[in-house]
């Protein structure tokens, strides 16, 4: 009821990670609420670095995304039989930490995934050791990834290349309506826009807070979320600031249409075309992302051990999985949904239409996921990590 106002190595042991502290309404994050971001560009191993948002009305913001833990904590990787799309990515050994060699050069051969589900992920060299927070594309040969220090990467079907963003601010989210209309949001309320030829930077709503995610239905209907429950809307001409009640910060935005939009934060909130309303969800949870295949099939993931909820069109129900914190979710269909996260190691869980399963548990923590289809999925994370499925 609304109120107004994812081969893994054979023999891999699935170890449940302890839940992190939940966020409070004051905007302070728990031990690893990585989607909550502050202006502090440094990240702590497997944890969070809270930072002041710089806007008194928003309260303190959360953290930069936690970088991965040490390599000794990850599972050992198989060196045989690499699979996946070799034209687009190189396979790497598991348990890589957040240095440049982990992301920009290939390691031992062999893709990683879960033999029982047939899912395979391979490392794609990014050329950077910066933490990456967001990924989106208009198609298989046009994908953007964003991260710390103004990092902006572009995939054109062969390799990732660095693109000058024009800012040193940390960048957190990317979304577009097409190849020539792409928005990037980040630290200091930064908006970057790509018109198909050049990137431009604007700060239409000031610079006192962090923007974490963007999503829209088209060029004239785009939402961006951030600190202090900020929900900022673009109507094709200008951005306007609103705030959803009872939200400490907005970590994710997704919708099905202009009048069916969800925002993930300390609480889940829904936009019906007129107003935002707070959802009734289990207490003691906070949320980082939302995705659905339809109006009555929506998933929300968040902080706390494998925190997953499902919306059937009427109510939210628990669907938690044995995993650590989850930060992003995306699917190609109702029976093919991926969620990524992890604190000490990167983790990927997969929904096959019947059950969630942990299918990847190694390397650096992961922060976002997007795909052009079931056989072309990208995940990005700490230390410049970029993974590709299959």
């Amino acid at each position: 009821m609304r109120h107004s106002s994812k081969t893994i190595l054979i023999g891999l042991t699935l170890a449940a990670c302890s839940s992190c502290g939940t966020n409070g309404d004051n905007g302070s994050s728990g031990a690893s609420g990585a989607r909550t971001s502050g202006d502090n560009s440094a990240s702590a191993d497997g944890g969070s670095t809270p930072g002041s948002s710089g806007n008194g009305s928003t309260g303190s913001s959360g953290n930069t995304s936690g970088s991965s833990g040490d390599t000794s904590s990850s599972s050992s990787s198989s060196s045989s039989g690499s699979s996946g799309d070799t034209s687009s990515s190189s396979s790497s050994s598991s348990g890589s930490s957040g240095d440049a060699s982990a992301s920009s050069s290939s390691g031992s051969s062999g893709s990683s995934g879960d033999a029982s589900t047939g899912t395979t992920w391979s490392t794609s060299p990014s050329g950077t050791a910066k933490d990456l927070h967001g990924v989106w594309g208009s198609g298989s040969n046009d994908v953007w990834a964003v991260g710390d220090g103004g990092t902006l990467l572009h995939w054109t079907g062969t390799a990732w290349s660095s693109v000058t963003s024009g800012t040193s601010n940390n960048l957190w989210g990317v979304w577009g309506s097409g190849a020539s209309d792409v928005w990037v949001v980040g630290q200091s309320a930064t908006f970057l826009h790509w018109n198909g030829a050049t990137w431009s930077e604007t700060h239409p709503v000031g610079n006192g807070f962090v923007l974490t995610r963007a999503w829209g239905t088209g060029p004239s209907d785009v939402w961006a979320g951030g600190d202090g429950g900020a929900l900022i809307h673009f109507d094709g001409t200008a951005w306007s600031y609103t705030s959803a009640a009872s939200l400490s910060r907005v970590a994710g935005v997704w919708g099905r249409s202009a009048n069916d939009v969800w925002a993930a934060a300390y609480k889940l909130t829904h936009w019906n075309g007129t107003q935002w309303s707070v959802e009734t969800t289990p207490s003691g949870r906070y949320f980082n992302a939302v995705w659905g295949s339809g109006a009555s099939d929506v998933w929300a993931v968040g902080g706390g051990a494998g925190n997953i909820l499902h919306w059937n069109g009427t109510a939210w129900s628990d669907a938690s999985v044995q995993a650590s914190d989850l930060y992003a979710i995306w699917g190609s269909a109702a029976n093919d949904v991926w969620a990524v996260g992890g604190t000490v190691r990167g983790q990927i869980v997969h929904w096959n239409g019947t059950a969630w399963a942990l299918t990847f548990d190694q390397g650096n923590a992961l922060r976002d996921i997007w795909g052009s289809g079931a056989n072309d999925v990208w995940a990005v994370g700490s230390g410049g990590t970029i993974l590709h499925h299959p």
Side-chain angles (χ1 to χ4, degrees):
M1 175 177 66
R2 303 191 180 102
H3 300 287
S4 214
S5 353
K6 189 227 347 165
T7 331
I8 222 159
L9 308 176
I10 298 173
L12 174 69
T13 300
L14 304 183
C17 297
S18 61
S19 64
C20 70
T22 59
N23 285 357
D25 278 339
N26 63 1
S28 63
S29 67
S32 58
R35 191 62 79 207
T36 309
S37 58
D39 280 1
N40 190 337
S41 62
S43 59
D45 289 345
S48 62
T49 304
S52 171
S53 68
N55 184 338
S57 64
T58 63
S60 63
S61 66
N63 57 1
T64 59
S65 66
S67 61
S68 67
D70 60 359
T71 58
S72 62
S73 64
S74 62
S75 58
S76 61
S77 112
S78 169
S79 61
S80 64
S82 100
S83 61
D85 185 356
T86 58
S87 67
S88 64
S89 58
S90 60
S91 302
S92 73
S93 60
S94 68
S96 60
S97 60
D99 59 12
S101 63
S103 60
S104 61
S105 62
S106 61
S108 62
S109 64
S111 304
S112 56
D114 186 347
S116 66
T117 64
T119 56
T120 306
W121 292 85
S122 52
T123 299
S124 183
S126 68
T128 184
K130 297 283 189 179
D131 288 354
L132 299 174
H133 304 298
V135 61
W136 175 89
S138 69
S140 58
N141 295 328
D142 178 37
V143 185
W144 295 94
V146 301
D148 283 355
T151 299
L152 183 59
L153 306 177
H154 191 217
W155 172 265
T156 57
T158 303
W160 290 94
S161 59
S162 177
V163 177
T164 300
S165 66
T167 183
S168 61
N169 289 330
N170 294 341
L171 302 176
W172 286 84
V174 54
W175 176 88
S177 67
S180 59
D181 178 37
V182 184
W183 290 97
V184 172
V185 297
Q187 178 185 13
S188 299
T190 298
F191 283 88
L192 301 180
H193 184 255
W194 172 255
N195 63 7
T198 59
W199 285 96
S200 58
E201 179 179 357
T202 62
H203 296 264
V205 291
N207 59 6
F209 56 97
V210 176
L211 294 171
T212 58
R213 281 292 179 260
W215 174 90
T217 63
S220 59
D221 179 32
V222 186
W223 288 95
D227 286 351
L231 285 160
I232 303 166
H233 185 257
F234 184 68
D235 62 5
T237 302
W239 290 91
S240 58
Y241 179 93
T242 64
S243 181
S246 302
L247 300 186
S248 58
R249 49 91 185 152
V250 176
V253 182
W254 173 89
R256 186 182 62 88
S257 65
N259 59 3
D260 184 12
V261 185
W262 296 91
Y266 180 69
K267 300 177 184 293
L268 293 172
T269 304
H270 184 260
W271 171 259
N272 63 5
T274 303
Q275 66 179 1
W276 289 96
S277 58
V278 178
E279 292 292 301
T280 298
T281 56
S283 63
R285 300 195 186 192
Y286 64 94
F287 302 93
N288 293 319
V290 185
W291 179 90
S293 68
S296 60
D297 178 36
V298 181
W299 297 96
V301 300
N307 179 14
I308 303 178
L309 293 183
H310 182 256
W311 171 259
N312 63 5
T314 303
W316 290 95
S317 60
D318 182 75
S320 294
V321 66
Q322 188 177 15
S324 186
D325 294 359
L326 298 172
Y327 302 119
I329 185 167
W330 175 89
S332 69
N335 61 352
D336 180 34
V337 186
W338 301 92
V340 300
T343 52
V344 175
R345 299 181 300 275
Q347 294 188 326
I348 303 176
V349 296
H350 183 253
W351 170 261
N352 62 5
T354 303
W356 285 96
L358 177 63
T359 62
F360 185 97
D361 188 11
Q362 58 186 282
N364 291 337
L366 300 170
R367 293 297 177 258
D368 200 14
I369 186 167
W370 172 88
S372 68
N375 294 314
D376 179 36
V377 187
W378 295 96
V380 301
S382 300
T385 296
I386 300 182
L387 302 178
H388 185 257
H389 168 73

